[in-house]
C-alpha cells in the first residue's frame, strides 16, 4: 500500500482504494468504485466525518500490470476500507453512528446480464408484451443490432385469467382455480429463481397482483417475487413490467449481498444505521434495497451529483452544471436550487427502467478518447477510448493512437508528472502521435492538438446542452462544477463554449461520491396516476395528492423511530409533491415542482437564478382547455442524522474553495469579493467586471449585435 | 440535413422542397414567411398526411437557407378517417391537397389559409395543436440558425455546409467503392393495391462501377390504381436508406448521399408516379423497394444483406364517437411486423423495420384514452417464413372495440 505524505492514505486499487480528507485523484483516469462508503462518527463535542472508497477495478495507473477483475465479494472491499480507516484514525466500531453505501453491483449485473433466472406471470393474452416492448429497434440504420432478448424467455412467461379495467373495475375476476393453474405451470418450470407479477392496470387496482403473489409465496417460499404494483405503480405497462422484471432479475444476488453486508457491518459497527444509496439521490434501508434492488441501478454517478449539489449549497450556489470527465466518458447533471434534476426513464444495457433517477447524461468523451480521421476526411474524437490499457500514447504502455490526453500533454496543458509522482507522461510519444494525425489532416501539430481538444470540448458541450438547453434552461445561468480525472482541465473551454461565467471546483473532487452518500437523505418516492382535467377535476387531484401525502407521512413517522423503538428528536423533514401535467391529446407529461416544508429548519439557500417553468410546451390554441393531470409524485425525505438541526458541519470545507471564471482576463477584485461572500450568479445585462482587461473576446464568443437582445420568453 | 433519429422514410421527403419554393416564389420570399405544402405531385410531398413547413432564414437581405420540418398529421380530410385507407384510387379522395402556399407572410398569419386547412381536417383542434408545434419548431430553428450566422458569418457558414455535403458524398462514394463492380438485378411484387390489381412488380437493375452506383427501375409496373404509388423522392428515401444500412450506417443524413447515388425511375411507374395517382399507403411500397434493393445486392454483399422483412408499414385506424364524452376520436396504431433473418442470427420478431421505427401506444393508454378494449397483444407463432431461410414472426395486436 502506497502512502503519500501528509494525512492521506492511498492504496492499490486492486484491493481497495482508500482515500480520505482532500486527496486529489490526478488525471490518470476514472477508476470507478464498486462501492463507496461514508462514516459518521459520533464524537462527543464535534462530529467527525470520514469518507472512503472501496474499489475492485483494475488499477489504471501507468506501470501496473493489468489485473483481472476479481469478482469475489464486493462487500469485502468496503469492510476492508472500513478496517483500514479505523486503524488509521483509531476509532472503535462502536463509535460509528451511520454508514452510507453506494454500490454498482446492480448496474454491473445488468451490463453483464448476470442475474437470476426469472419468470413472469401476466394477464392472459399479453405474455409477449415484454418482448415486443415499444416495437422499435435500437439503431435505425444498423441491420445487425437488436434490442437484447427479454430477461424471461417465452416459455417462462405465464398467463393468468384475470382482467382489470382502466378505472380499476374488475372485468374478469381472479379465481382460485385460475391461481391454481398458475401454480401448476410454475411447478413445471425448471430453474426459476425469481418471478415478476405483472398484471394490466395493477397500478389502479393491485388486488389481483397481491392475491396472486401471496399464493405464490405460500406455495413457493423459495422464489423471490416482485409485484409491478409495488415496484413501480404507474401507468404504461411495458415500462412498469420491464422495471419489475429487472427487479426480479436482480433480487437474488443483490438480496444476498445486502444480507452479507448488513451482517458484516453489524459485526464491525453494531450501532451504525445503514443506508443504501438509490438512483434517485436518496438513501434507503437495507431491507428496502433487498426488496427493490432495481433502485440501486445507476446509483453510482448519482452519488457524485448529490455530492456536487451539496458542495454547491455549502458555497451558496444552488444552480450548477456538473461536469465529471473520466477516462472514457463524461457525465453531466443539472442541479437547480440545490437539487439534482430527476428523470423518470432510463435505459441500461437495453432494458427500460422507469424510476425517479438523478438525471445524468453521459457521452463518450474523456481523457482517453481516441482521435481518428474518418472516411470523409474529417477528424472525430471518441467514443472509442484507449482506456487504461494501453491508454494514451504518452502513458508509454503501447498506445499508438492520439488521445485527448496526448493532445493536452503536447500542448503543455498537462504537467508531465501526475498523481503525486505516481504517473509520468512521455511528451515525445504524445508529440509523435499528434504529429502523425496532423499530417493526415494537412495541418500543423499544434492545430491538430487544438482541434482534438476542441472536438472533445464540443462533445462535452453537447452533453451539457442535452440537460440544459434541451430542457429549457440557459446554461449561462448556471455555475459549472468540474470534477473527475479531467474535469478541471477542460472546465475553462467548456465554460467559454457555453458562455458560463463561473466555475466552482471542489477541493476534493475524487470523493464527491462519498460526499454525496453522506449528504444524502433517507428518501422514499410515492407515485400515483390520476387522470383528471386540471380545472374541472381539481378535487380529484387534491384527493390523490392527499393520499400520497398520507403515505409519505406514514413512512416518515415510521422512520422517525429509532431501531430500538425510542422516538428520535424532531428532525427536518420535507415532502415534495411533483404533479406531472400534460395538455389534452399530448403523449408525454412535464413535471412541475411544488414543494412543502414540514418541521425543522427551512432550507436557507436563496434563489440565485430566475426559476424556469419546465419544460416548455407549445401553447395550444385553446389555452383554457382541459389538462388532464397525469401523475403525482411526492417524494418524502428525512435526513438520517437525528442530531442536526440544519446542514452538516462538513460544509465549511468548501467555503474557501477555489473559484474560477470561464473567461480570459483577470479581475483582482473578484477574489476579494468572493472571499467576502458577495458573489452572485450572473444576471442578464451584467457587464463582466473583467471585460475592460480583454483585448478581444475569447474564441467562439461573438458579442450579440446591439439591438438583438432576445425578447423575454423567447430565450430557450 | 436531417436529424440522426429521424425516420428513414423522410430522408428525401423534404429534398425537393426548396427547389419548389424557390421556383414558385422566387424574389417574393421575405423574412417571416412560412410555406406549407403536402401535395406529392406539385409540392414535393410524398403523401397528404405528411405536411411540410419551411421558413426562410435571412442575413440582412440575403436569403441564406430554409429551416423545414414535417409532421404526419393524424387526419387531413378525405374519404377515410385518418386519411390512410386502402381502396382509394385517386389523390382527390385521399384528403386536402395543399400546394406550396404561405401560411405566414412576413410574420403575419394568413388566416384565409389557416381557416381553409382547419375546415378540411377532422378534429381541427388537435390538428391546430400539431400545426402549432411545427410552427414553433420552425421558429426556433430559424432563431438558432440566425445565431449561428451572427457568430460565423454567412459566407463561412455556407462554405461549411458545402464542405459537409461534399465530404459526406465522398464518404458515401468510398463506401460504394467497396461493392464489387457489376450489374445486379432483382424484382418482387406487391401483393395487391386494394382495388383489385394484383402482383404489382417492382424491378431494379443496379450498375456499379468504381465509386458510382446507378439504380434503374425500368421494368417496374406502371402506377397502380390503388394508393400504394411512390413519388420519386419516396423511392429516393428507400434506396438511400438501403445503401446506407448496407454500406455505412453512420454516414450523416444530407444531400451528399443523394449526390453519390443515381436513381432513374420511369415516369408514370409505380416508383415515380404522376397526378392523379393515389399515394397514401406509400410507406408499404417503400419497404418493398428496400427489400428489392437488398435482394439485388445479395449477390454482391452476401455477408451484409438480410432476408426480406415483413415488407409493409401496417397501420390500423380506429375512429368514432366516444360514448363517455360524446367527442370524436381518431386513433392510429402502427404494427411492427418483424425483420428478415441475418446471416448469423434469426430475424427480430415484432419490430418496425427499415424506413420506419414508430412506437406502439401502451395498452393502458389506449384503454384510458379511447372506448376500446385490447384483448391481446402477442406474437403469432410460425407467422414468419421457414427457418432456413430464417424465421420471423408477425405480431398483430387484437384490439376489439369494447362496449362503453
Amino acid at each position: 500500500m502506497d502512502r503519500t505524505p501528509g494525512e492521506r492514505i492511498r492504496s492499490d486499487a486492486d484491493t481497495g482504494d482508500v482515500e480520505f480528507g482532500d486527496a486529489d485523484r490526478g488525471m490518470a483516469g476514472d477508476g470507478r468504485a464498486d462501492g463507496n462508503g461514508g462514516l459518521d462518527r459520533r464524537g462527543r463535542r464535534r462530529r467527525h466525518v470520514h469518507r472512503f472508497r472501496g474499489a475492485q477495478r483494475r488499477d489504471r495507473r501507468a506501470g501496473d500490470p493489468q489485473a483481472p477483475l476479481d469478482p469475489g465479494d464486493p462487500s469485502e472491499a468496503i469492510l476492508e476500507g472500513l478496517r483500514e480507516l479505523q486503524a488509521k484514525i483509531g476509532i472503535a466500531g462502536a463509535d460509528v453512528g451511520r454508514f452510507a453505501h453506494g454500490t454498482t453491483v446492480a448496474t454491473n449485473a445488468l451490463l453483464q446480464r448476470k442475474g437470476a433466472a426469472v419468470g413472469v406471470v401476466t394477464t392472459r393474452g399479453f405474455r409477449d408484451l415484454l418482448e415486443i416492448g415499444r416495437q422499435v429497434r435500437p439503431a435505425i440504420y444498423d441491420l445487425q443490432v437488436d434490442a437484447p432478448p427479454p430477461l424471461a424467455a417465452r416459455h417462462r412467461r405465464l398467463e393468468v385469467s384475470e382482467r382489470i379495467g382502466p378505472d380499476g373495475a374488475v372485468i374478469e375476476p381472479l379465481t382460485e382455480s385460475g391461481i391454481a393453474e398458475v401454480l401448476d405451470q410454475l411447478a413445471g418450470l425448471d430453474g426459476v429463481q425469481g418471478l415478476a407479477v405483472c398484471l394490466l392496470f395493477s397500478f389502479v387496482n393491485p388486488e389481483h397482483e397481491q392475491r396472486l403473489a401471496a399464493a405464490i409465496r405460500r406455495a413457493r417460499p423459495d422464489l423471490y417475487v416482485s409485484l409491478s404494483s409495488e415496484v413501480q405503480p404507474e401507468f404504461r405497462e411495458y415500462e412498469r413490467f420491464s422495471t419489475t422484471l429487472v427487479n426480479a432479475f436482480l433480487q437474488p444476488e443483490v438480496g444476498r449481498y445486502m444480507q452479507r453486508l448488513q451482517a458484516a457491518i453489524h459485526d464491525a459497527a453494531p450501532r451504525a444505521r445503514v443506508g443504501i444509496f438509490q438512483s434517485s439521490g436518496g438513501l434507503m434501508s437495507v431491507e428496502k434495497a433487498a426488496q427493490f434492488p432495481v433502485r440501486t441501478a445507476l446509483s453510482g454517478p448519482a452519488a457524485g451529483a448529490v455530492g456536487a449539489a451539496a458542495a454547491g449549497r455549502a458555497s451558496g450556489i444552488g444552480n450548477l452544471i456538473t461536469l465529471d470527465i473520466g477516462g472514457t466518458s463524461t457525465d453531466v447533471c443539472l442541479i437547480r436550487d440545490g437539487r439534482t434534476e430527476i428523470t423518470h426513464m432510463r435505459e441500461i444495457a437495453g432494458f427500460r427502467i422507469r424510476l425517479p433517477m438523478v438525471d445524468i447524461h453521459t457521452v463518450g468523451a474523456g481523457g482517453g478518447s481516441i482521435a481518428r480521421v474518418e472516411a470523409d476526411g474529417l477528424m472525430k474524437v471518441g467514443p472509442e477510448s484507449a482506456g487504461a490499457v494501453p491508454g494514451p500514447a504518452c502513458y508509454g504502455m503501447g498506445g499508438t493512437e492520439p488521445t485527448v490526453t496526448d493532445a493536452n500533454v503536447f500542448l503543455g496543458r498537462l504537467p508531465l508528472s501526475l498523481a503525486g509522482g505516481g504517473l509520468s507522461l512521455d511528451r515525445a510519444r504524445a508529440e509523435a502521435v499528434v504529429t502523425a494525425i496532423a499530417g493526415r489532416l494537412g495541418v500543423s501539430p499544434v492545430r491538430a492538438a487544438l482541434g482534438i481538444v476542441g472536438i472533445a470540448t464540443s462533445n462535452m458541450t453537447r452533453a451539457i446542452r442535452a440537460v440544459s438547453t434541451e430542457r429549457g434552461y440557459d446554461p449561462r445561468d448556471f455555475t459549472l462544477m468540474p470534477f473527475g480525472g479531467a474535469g478541471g482541465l477542460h472546465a475553462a473551454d467548456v465554460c467559454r463554449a457555453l458562455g458560463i461565467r463561473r466555475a466552482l471546483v471542489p477541493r476534493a473532487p475524487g470523493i464527491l461520491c462519498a460526499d454525496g452518500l453522506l449528504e444524502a437523505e433517507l428518501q422514499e418516492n410515492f407515485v400515483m396516476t390520476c387522470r383528471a382535467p386540471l380545472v374541472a377535476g381539481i378535487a380529484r387531484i387534491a384527493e390523490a395528492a392527499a393520499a400520497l401525502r398520507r403515505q409519505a407521512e406514514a413512512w416518515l413517522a415510521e422512520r422517525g423511530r429509532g431501531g430500538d423503538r425510542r422516538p428520535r428528536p424532531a428532525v427536518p423533514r420535507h415532502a415534495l409533491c411533483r404533479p406531472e401535467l400534460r395538455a389534452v391529446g399530448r403523449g408525454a407529461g412535464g413535471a412541475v415542482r411544488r414543494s412543502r416544508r414540514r418541521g425543522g429548519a427551512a432550507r436557507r439557500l436563496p434563489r440565485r437564478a430566475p426559476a424556469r417553468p419546465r419544460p416548455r410546451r407549445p401553447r395550444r390554441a385553446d389555452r383554457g382547455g382541459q389538462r388532464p393531470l397525469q401523475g403525482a409524485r411526492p417524494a418524502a425525505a428525512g435526513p438520517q442524522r437525528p442530531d442536526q438541526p440544519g446542514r452538516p458541519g462538513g460544509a465549511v470545507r468548501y467555503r474557501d474553495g477555489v473559484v474560477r471564471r470561464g473567461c480570459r482576463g483577470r479581475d483582482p477584485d473578484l477574489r476579494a469579493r468572493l472571499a467576502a461572500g458577495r458573489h452572485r450568479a450572473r444576471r442578464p445585462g451584467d457587464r463582466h467586471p473583467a471585460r475592460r482587461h480583454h483585448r478581444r473576446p475569447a474564441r467562439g464568443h461573438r458579442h450579440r449585435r446591439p439591438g438583438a437582445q432576445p425578447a423575454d420568453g423567447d430565450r430557450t | 440535413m436531417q436529424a440522426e433519429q429521424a425516420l428513414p422514410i423522410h430522408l428525401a421527403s423534404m429534398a425537393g422542397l426548396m427547389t419548389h419554393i424557390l421556383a414558385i416564389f422566387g424574389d417574393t420570399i421575405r423574412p417571416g414567411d412560412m410555406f406549407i405544402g403536402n401535395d406529392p405531385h406539385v409540392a414535393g410531398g410524398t403523401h397528404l398526411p405528411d405536411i411540410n413547413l419551411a421558413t426562410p432564414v435571412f442575413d440582412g437581405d440575403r436569403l441564406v437557407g430554409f429551416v423545414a420540418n414535417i409532421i404526419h398529421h393524424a387526419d387531413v380530410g378525405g374519404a377515410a378517417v385518418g386519411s390512410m385507407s386502402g381502396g382509394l384510387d385517386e389523390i382527390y379522395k385521399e384528403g386536402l391537397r395543399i400546394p406550396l402556399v404561405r401560411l405566414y407572410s412576413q410574420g403575419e398569419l394568413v388566416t384565409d389559409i389557416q381557416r381553409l386547412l382547419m375546415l378540411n381536417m377532422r378534429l381541427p383542434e388537435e390538428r391546430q395543436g400539431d400545426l402549432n408545434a411545427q410552427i414553433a419548431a420552425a421558429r426556433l430553428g430559424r432563431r438558432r440558425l440566425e445565431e449561428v450566422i451572427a457568430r460565423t458569418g454567412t459566407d463561412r457558414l455556407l462554405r461549411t455546409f458545402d464542405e459537409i455535403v461534399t465530404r459526406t458524398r465522398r464518404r458515401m462514394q468510398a463506401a460504394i467503392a467497396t461493392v464489387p463492380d457489376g450489374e445486379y438485378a432483382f424484382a418482387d411484387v406487391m401483393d395487391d393495391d386494394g382495388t383489385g390489381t394484383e402482383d404489382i412488380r417492382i424491378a431494379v437493375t443496379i450498375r456499379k462501377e468504381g465509386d458510382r452506383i446507378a439504380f434503374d427501375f425500368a421494368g417496374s409496373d406502371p402506377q397502380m390504381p390503388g394508393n400504394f404509388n411512390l413519388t420519386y423522392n419516396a423511392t429516393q428515401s428507400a434506396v438511400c436508406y438501403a445503401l446506407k444500412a448496407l454500406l455505412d450506417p453512420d454516414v450523416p443524413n444530407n444531400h451528399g448521399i443523394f449526390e453519390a447515388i443515381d436513381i432513374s425511375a420511369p415516369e408514370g411507374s409505380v416508383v415515380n408516379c404522376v397526378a392523379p395517382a393515389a399515394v397514401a399507403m406509400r410507406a408499404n411500397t417503400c419497404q418493398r423497394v428496400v427489400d428489392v434493393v437488398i435482394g439485388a445486392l445479395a449477390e454482391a454483399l452476401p455477408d451484409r444483406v438480410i432476408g426480406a422483412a415483413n415488407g409493409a408499414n401496417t397501420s390500423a385506424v380506429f375512429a368514432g364517437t366516444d360514448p363517455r364524452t360524446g367527442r370524436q376520436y381518431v386513433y392510429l396504431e402502427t404494427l411492427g411486423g418483424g425483420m428478415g433473418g441475418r446471416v448469423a442470427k434469426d430475424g427480430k420478431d415484432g419490430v418496425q423495420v427499415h424506413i420506419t421505427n414508430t412506437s406502439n401506444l401502451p395498452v393502458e393508454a389506449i384503454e384510458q384514452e379511447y372506448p376500446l378494449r385490447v384483448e391481446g397483444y402477442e406474437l403469432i407463432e410460425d407467422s414468419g417464413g421457414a427457418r432456413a431461410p430464417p424465421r420471423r414472426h408477425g405480431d398483430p395486436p387484437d384490439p376489439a372495440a369494447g362496449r362503453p
Side-chain angles (χ1 to χ4, degrees), chain A residues 134 137 146 163 240 716, chain B residues 144 342 354 360 364 367:
Chain A
R134 289 274 150 260
R137 58 195 194 278
D146 298 329
R163 187 60 143 89
R240 179 169 82 255
T716 344
Chain B
R144 288 277 181 254
R342 276 66 63 90
H354 296 325
N360 50 23
E364 290 174 348
E367 294 198 356

Side-chain angles (χ1 to χ4, degrees), chain A residues 402-428:
Chain A
T403 63
V404 174
T405 297
D406 292 313
N408 277 317
V409 166
F410 174 68
L411 289 169
R413 288 161 44 119
L414 264 181
L416 295 182
S417 168
L418 295 174
L423 175 63
S424 57
L425 304 173
D426 186 340
R427 190 178 186 279

